[in-house]
Amino acid sequence: MQQRNDLRNIAIIAHVDHGKTTLVDQLLKYSGTFRDNEYVDERAMDSGDIERERGITILAKNTAIHYNDATINILDTPGHADFGGEVERIMKMVDGVILVVDAYEGTMPQTRFVLKKALDQKLTPIVVLNKIDRPNARPANVIDEVLDLFIDLGADDDQLDFPVVYASALNGTSGTEPDNQSETMEPIFEMIMNHIPAPVDNSEEPLQFQVTLLDYNDYVGRIGIGRVFRGKIHVGQSVVVMKKDGSTKSFRVTKLFGFIGLKRVEIQEAKAGDIVAVSGMEDINVGETICPPDNQEALPVLRIDEPTLQMTFVVNNSPFAGKEGKFITARKIEERLMKQLETDVSLRVQPTETPDAWVVSGRGELHLSILVENMRREGYEIQLSKPKVIIKEINGVKCEPVERVQVDVPEEFTGAVMEALGSRKGEMMDMVNHGNGQVRLEFKVPSRGLIGYPTEFMTQTHGYGILNHTFDSYAPLIKGQVGGRRQGVLVALENGKATTYGIMQLEDRGVIFVEPGTEVYAGMIVGEHNRENDLTVNLTKEKHLTNTRSSTKDQTATIRKTRSMSLEEAIEYLNDDEYCEVTPESIRLRKKILHKGEREKASKRSK
């Protein structure tokens, strides 16, 4: 069988923050893809605003580099399990993977997740031990961990015989030995060319092209990015797209784009093995196949793991609705959610009995919160309910998602973390003391037990702990409450501006969430109560002025620091009877029932 020896297709996979995108930067740099005087941003593949701000990859992206006489297509994938849908579809496009592992941290929960997806597709792996320059790097131990993980995930003999390159992507060095590093990426390029299989050259057979990523351009409309699995495709060709529902639609290829570095370049023809972008079809979705009209043969539809978490998105109906956002109507919000469905294969949107609410299901809190953050930046106003795990019935038994949790903490905090995860029905799987004051704990915890825990974890470990978790499996539902917030909240009594005097009167009742001068409304959550019950408070109270003067009149009133929450923290904080109100300028917490009397009646009825 003929092969295209001038081409290699690989994906770079790793746990969050192990250096995938930085490694791609260096591969681009050392391949001579950029001109000497060309300015290129750090983490060039992370092009989205949120990706740059948070330093994480959210969307899978592709680039191509020339090495000697060959082209290497590289796909950078997210390391976070919440964006696993991006990883799963990429695996279909490539023939091998580069697994990047931190030389100190070793294999992490999401390393297991992304590697399992690669091994399931029978892809050829190369292991790059990154951050080898770290003073506490332990390359020999980490290679043993990687080998154990391969065996644990059922790798075959060929996959177990993986080559290893040691590198420091930040410094641009690599080598085949940990202590022999050169300022080059040549060893990685050589490993790719020698170990990753070349694509099969079956370009004389009828065309098969499968769309795995989607893009949009104002000039050419929707663009489908994918791999030519068989045959050739050229500009002006008449083809049909085979839809998921079994129907077909004809169109003409108007433009073809290849990739080089960070740019798209127009090409006239592509053949088997090439990863290209195709435009010309108005309506195409991920997983659909393009083929010739006289040979309609669809490729298997991409299988994506189902969502594990859901939230209700509701039209904002608070007293401040419409003050800060541009898009506030049900129609606009529904249009935006439907648009997201076109490119996000792991998202689900279901209408509810009311026209102003939708149940949105995703792979985790981060997956859903990134969608909300994007919507808010685009000018949308919405309200969010408490996240809930999706319960499935498997063989007649109700099951819930369980996560594999890995915690790295200083020794003195292990007791507090073990107690907290134990109370959330966590089952301890492993405990390793590295002997340098750090302990690694592994647990299996029900997903609902982890909702809201990361914030508590940071407090417990004084900010020194590292918490990582990834979906593991579905297990029989544990009865009773697991996790959840213990404290009650302070709820505003009336509309107005929060005053310094009003806040000072309430400081001994709990932690305040709002600054003086903030506009509040009746039913808005303005703080956390010290006790388990909710308390309605008057935060807008003014100090009465009198003719009496005191000897301390010149003292400046000082208040404690208020607690501000990020979007993820606010969502995790919610209880069943609360909403998170999200606008382009503010994140507020509120009760679903704003009126104090009606809230009390509803509370009595529910008991």
Side-chain angles (χ1 to χ4, degrees):
M1 195 179 284
Q2 271 192 312
Q3 290 184 311
R4 290 192 59 188
N5 291 315
D6 63 336
L7 183 65
R8 296 291 186 277
N9 294 322
I10 58 160
I12 293 199
I13 58 173
H15 178 80
V16 169
D17 210 25
H18 278 197
K20 294 180 303 302
T21 310
T22 310
L23 183 65
V24 175
D25 280 0
Q26 296 297 351
L27 293 174
L28 284 164
K29 178 182 169 186
Y30 282 97
S31 67
T33 301
F34 302 125
R35 299 188 314 274
D36 291 342
N37 64 344
E38 190 172 351
Y39 173 74
V40 182
D41 282 333
E42 279 185 26
R43 301 196 330 274
M45 295 290 280
D46 284 348
S47 51
D49 290 344
I50 298 177
E51 290 181 319
R52 290 203 161 282
E53 286 165 23
R54 302 193 183 200
I56 59 171
T57 303
I58 294 168
L59 299 172
K61 297 175 200 71
N62 54 312
T63 183
I65 57 181
H66 288 315
Y67 174 71
N68 295 340
D69 297 327
T71 300
I72 302 173
N73 285 314
I74 301 177
L75 290 110
D76 185 16
T77 62
H80 205 289
D82 279 23
F83 308 109
E86 297 284 322
V87 179
E88 286 160 346
R89 50 181 166 167
I90 287 306
M91 294 306 167
K92 284 275 189 185
M93 294 169 69
V94 295
D95 304 300
V97 292
I98 293 179
L99 176 69
V100 182
V101 184
D102 188 305
Y104 167 68
E105 288 187 350
T107 58
M108 303 289 274
Q110 272 122 24
T111 314
R112 165 182 286 270
F113 173 82
V114 292
L115 181 59
K116 185 174 189 312
K117 299 296 175 193
L119 296 179
D120 287 349
Q121 293 289 337
K122 303 296 179 193
L123 299 177
T124 305
I126 292 172
V127 174
V128 172
L129 228 59
N130 193 24
K131 307 189 185 182
I132 198 70
D133 56 319
R134 285 181 72 162
N136 43 10
R138 44 190 191 95
N141 293 352
V142 171
I143 289 297
D144 288 343
E145 283 179 26
V146 173
L147 188 60
D148 289 344
L149 182 58
F150 270 80
I151 294 167
D152 194 22
L153 293 175
D156 60 34
D157 291 347
D158 290 339
Q159 289 171 328
L160 284 171
D161 190 22
F162 54 83
V164 180
V165 181
Y166 302 88
S168 167
L170 200 62
N171 298 330
T173 63
S174 66
T176 51
E177 297 296 330
D179 47 5
N180 183 17
Q181 296 283 297
S182 307
E183 202 167 312
T184 175
M185 291 285 123
E186 195 75 21
I188 297 177
F189 288 128
E190 287 297 317
M191 288 289 186
I192 292 170
M193 295 308 296
N194 295 335
H195 286 86
I196 302 296
V200 174
D201 187 1
N202 52 6
S203 49
E204 298 309 314
E205 296 178 30
L207 170 68
Q208 269 188 326
F209 172 92
Q210 188 169 41
V211 177
T212 39
L213 300 169
L214 285 178
D215 200 357
Y216 184 83
N217 181 302
D218 288 337
Y219 299 104
V220 296
R222 194 177 285 194
I223 298 169
I225 301 167
R227 174 172 171 169
V228 182
F229 284 90
R230 197 174 73 188
K232 293 178 182 173
I233 186 168
H234 58 81
V235 175
Q237 185 176 354
S238 291
V239 292
V240 295
V241 55
M242 304 193 69
K243 312 290 288 175
K244 288 181 184 173
D245 59 9
S247 63
T248 60
K249 204 169 184 179
S250 301
F251 75 93
R252 188 179 294 276
V253 178
T254 54
K255 283 187 187 295
L256 268 181
F257 300 95
F259 297 89
I260 186 68
L262 304 175
K263 302 185 186 83
R264 272 190 201 151
V265 288
E266 275 198 53
I267 55 174
Q268 293 303 306
E269 186 179 74
K271 60 180 186 176
D274 285 331
I275 292 174
V276 292
V278 181
S279 73
M281 55 289 197
E282 290 174 15
D283 180 29
I284 191 164
N285 289 302
V286 169
E288 294 174 350
T289 306
I290 294 173
C291 44
D294 56 350
N295 196 303
Q296 297 185 14
E297 189 183 341
L299 286 158
V301 175
L302 297 176
R303 190 193 150 273
I304 304 292
D305 283 353
E306 290 296 307
T308 56
L309 195 76
Q310 63 185 28
M311 282 161 57
T312 306
F313 283 41
V314 185
V315 171
N316 189 10
N317 59 3
S318 83
F320 292 170
K323 286 189 174 181
E324 297 170 358
K326 287 191 292 185
F327 308 116
I328 57 172
T329 61
R331 185 172 65 84
K332 286 287 185 187
I333 293 168
E334 187 169 38
E335 277 175 12
R336 179 63 181 82
L337 291 173
M338 293 305 144
K339 183 184 170 191
Q340 186 70 21
L341 280 180
E342 292 175 0
T343 52
D344 193 338
V345 290
S346 22
L347 196 74
R348 304 282 182 277
V349 178
Q350 298 160 290
T352 60
E353 293 169 2
T354 57
D356 61 350
W358 305 265
V359 175
V360 181
S361 309
R363 293 287 279 268
E365 288 163 76
L366 185 63
H367 182 200
L368 293 174
S369 70
I370 293 288
L371 166 62
V372 174
E373 182 64 37
N374 277 320
M375 287 178 70
R376 125 180 229 228
R377 291 181 184 205
E378 291 163 21
Y380 288 85
E381 282 191 16
I382 43 174
Q383 294 182 139
L384 310 167
S385 73
K386 178 184 176 180
K388 291 183 179 175
V389 298
I390 297 171
I391 308 296
K392 278 187 181 176
E393 196 164 299
I394 302 172
N395 299 329
V397 180
K398 280 191 174 179
C399 295
E400 66 178 325
V402 173
E403 309 235 350
R404 183 181 284 265
V405 180
Q406 190 168 296
V407 176
D408 289 280
V409 287
E411 276 180 60
E412 62 265 33
F413 303 125
T414 50
V417 171
M418 286 163 72
E419 185 184 347
L421 287 172
S423 69
R424 292 166 179 263
K425 309 295 187 219
E427 180 189 345
M428 190 157 148
M429 310 298 290
D430 195 14
M431 178 174 178
V432 180
N433 192 326
H434 293 306
N436 58 356
Q438 286 287 111
V439 177
R440 175 169 288 183
L441 306 167
E442 268 194 39
F443 290 85
K444 279 191 178 177
V445 188
S447 296
R448 59 194 168 123
L450 285 177
I451 294 174
Y453 179 63
T455 311
E456 186 184 321
F457 173 77
M458 294 310 283
T459 308
Q460 281 173 346
T461 61
H462 298 193
Y464 289 107
I466 300 170
L467 176 79
N468 288 288
H469 58 93
T470 185
F471 171 73
D472 185 76
S473 59
Y474 269 86
L477 182 71
I478 296 171
K479 289 182 180 172
Q481 187 179 352
V482 177
R485 192 180 77 214
R486 296 192 184 97
Q487 257 70 32
V489 288
L490 304 175
V491 186
L493 175 67
E494 58 188 42
N495 299 4
K497 276 189 180 178
T499 63
T500 306
Y501 179 72
I503 290 172
M504 287 180 74
Q505 302 302 306
L506 296 168
E507 282 189 326
D508 58 339
R509 295 299 187 109
V511 181
I512 306 298
F513 295 163
V514 295
E515 299 278 349
T518 305
E519 289 275 355
V520 300
Y521 55 81
M524 180 172 153
I525 295 169
V526 292
E528 181 177 271
H529 193 197
N530 287 336
R531 302 188 178 179
E532 292 187 6
N533 62 309
D534 293 343
L535 187 67
T536 305
V537 296
N538 186 2
L539 209 67
T540 60
K541 193 191 296 182
E542 297 275 4
K543 186 174 183 180
H544 291 295
L545 299 174
T546 66
N547 286 331
T548 311
R549 294 289 174 267
S550 93
S551 58
T552 59
K553 67 179 184 296
D554 290 331
Q555 286 185 0
T556 306
T558 55
I559 57 173
R560 290 186 208 140
K561 188 165 175 20
T562 57
R563 187 201 294 179
S564 60
M565 291 192 193
S566 68
L567 179 59
E568 280 92 359
E569 288 167 344
I571 291 170
E572 287 173 352
Y573 191 79
L574 292 172
N575 257 349
D576 290 331
D577 63 337
E578 296 162 2
Y579 280 140
C580 175
E581 181 189 348
V582 180
T583 74
E585 293 174 30
S586 313
I587 296 167
R588 305 183 188 93
L589 298 174
R590 54 159 284 187
K591 288 291 181 182
K592 286 183 180 176
I593 302 171
L594 296 176
H595 191 272
K596 182 189 175 191
E598 289 175 21
R599 257 199 325 273
E600 287 168 353
K601 282 180 197 169
S603 175
K604 283 174 186 170
R605 281 198 301 270
S606 65
K607 284 177 183 174

